[in-house]
Structures are given as structure tokens and as C-alpha cells.
Amino acid sequence: MTYIALGIVLLIVSLILIIADKRATYSRFMSSFSNKGFKQLRIGLPIIAILAIGYGIFHLITYQPPYLDIYVEEGEYTVFGEIGEVGYYAPQLIKKKEEASIHLVFWEPVEIGDNTKLQVTYPSGKSEELDVTLTPIRETNLKHNIQSIYEVSPISFSEKGVADVTIISGNKTIENMEMEIH
């Protein structure tokens, strides 16, 4: 939105300069420009304005926020992670050394078996494997192209920061995502 506003302002400024050139050609303001400099300014400002507006529109169309608000039976939640691939939400803030109930959101169909683990790599480089149980949530009104939501058995993390979490089912890696732990 900022680029669109900047482009509109630049178009208005270039329009004012064109009007000033036609109406007050010999004014003190207009005589402060050299002929070559004014022509370059008169051509350059609209080009920059059009580029700024074009980029602003492109950004509005393609921007995907790092979170998504969804509604499930339990209430409204914000999904974090890789929106469009795999994300997560929790009813409470995920804190270090506190048990957390996490829900995993998948946009692609996944097959999760009984022997599921979360491989967590913390910012310090320490890695741990957490044995978890994933229970599918039977949600009939899934929007935003969400394929499935799984509830993870309560787990606790030993460090805070942005951890790299890999979901492993049996010997197969399902997905990889980043999770923020406070």
C-alpha cells in the first residue's frame, strides 16, 4: 500500500510540475531548473511513479502473511509456520519447559502412522526427539484449502527460540517447519 501511495504522490508532483511549466514558465521556481534537468525530471518522475504503483499492486496481489486466522470447533486460532504447506497453532503460548498442546495444520494430504516423532533442533544446535501421538481432528468446515488438522499429545521443549521441527512418521519424514518457543 505504501508503494501505491508513493506512486500517486509522485504522479501528482509530476502533474504540478507540468502545470507550472505551462502556466508560469518564467517564474523564479521554474527558472531554477536547467532545460535538460527539467526534461529529465518530467520524464523520470512519471516512470518512477508507474513502477512504484506497479510494484505496490504486485505486492498486494502476491503477499502471503506469515500467519493465518482460522476458526475450528474450539474457537478462533492463528496458524503460524509455512502457510500453504504445514503450520501450527496452540491454545496457549508455547513456552520453554511447559507442557503445550499443539495442533498441526496441513495443506497437503499426509499419511501419519502410529510411530510418530518430532525431531526438534534448537537454535543452540541441540537436537532432541519427542515421541508424540497425533490425533486427527474431524473438522467438517475446513477453509483456506486446509486438508487436515492433527492434535499433538502434550509436549514440552527444553530451549526457547525458533526451533526447526521435523515431523517423522515411522521412517518417513513428513514435513519440516520452524516453531517459535518462548
Side-chain angles (χ1 to χ4, degrees), residues 49-166:
I50 290 169
L51 289 173
I53 291 171
Y55 180 75
I57 291 171
F58 171 77
H59 188 266
L60 276 176
I61 291 172
T62 61
Y63 177 71
Q64 188 166 359
Y67 59 88
L68 174 70
D69 290 329
I70 64 169
Y71 300 93
V72 290
E73 288 178 3
E74 302 95 47
E76 179 182 351
Y77 295 101
T78 301
V79 177
F80 298 97
E82 292 292 322
I83 305 302
E85 292 178 26
V86 63
Y88 68 94
Y89 70 87
Q92 75 284 353
L93 197 60
I94 302 170
K95 294 185 178 181
K96 170 184 161 184
K97 298 197 184 214
E98 284 186 20
E99 245 184 27
S101 176
I102 299 170
H103 294 78
L104 299 175
V105 180
F106 295 95
W107 277 264
E108 297 292 326
V110 293
E111 292 181 29
I112 307 253
D114 294 333
N115 186 16
T116 306
K117 298 176 184 193
L118 295 182
Q119 176 72 39
V120 183
T121 305
Y122 296 104
S124 68
K126 178 185 171 192
S127 185
E128 69 179 339
E129 248 183 36
L130 304 171
D131 290 321
V132 294
T133 304
L134 296 180
T135 309
I137 293 181
R138 302 282 181 226
E139 189 67 39
T140 56
N141 231 358
L142 294 177
K143 295 181 180 175
H144 309 289
N145 295 325
I146 295 172
Q147 295 295 315
S148 57
I149 300 175
Y150 285 87
E151 183 177 4
V152 180
S153 57
I155 55 175
S156 65
F157 298 96
S158 57
E159 289 184 25
K160 64 181 179 176
V162 178
D164 187 42
V165 178
T166 304

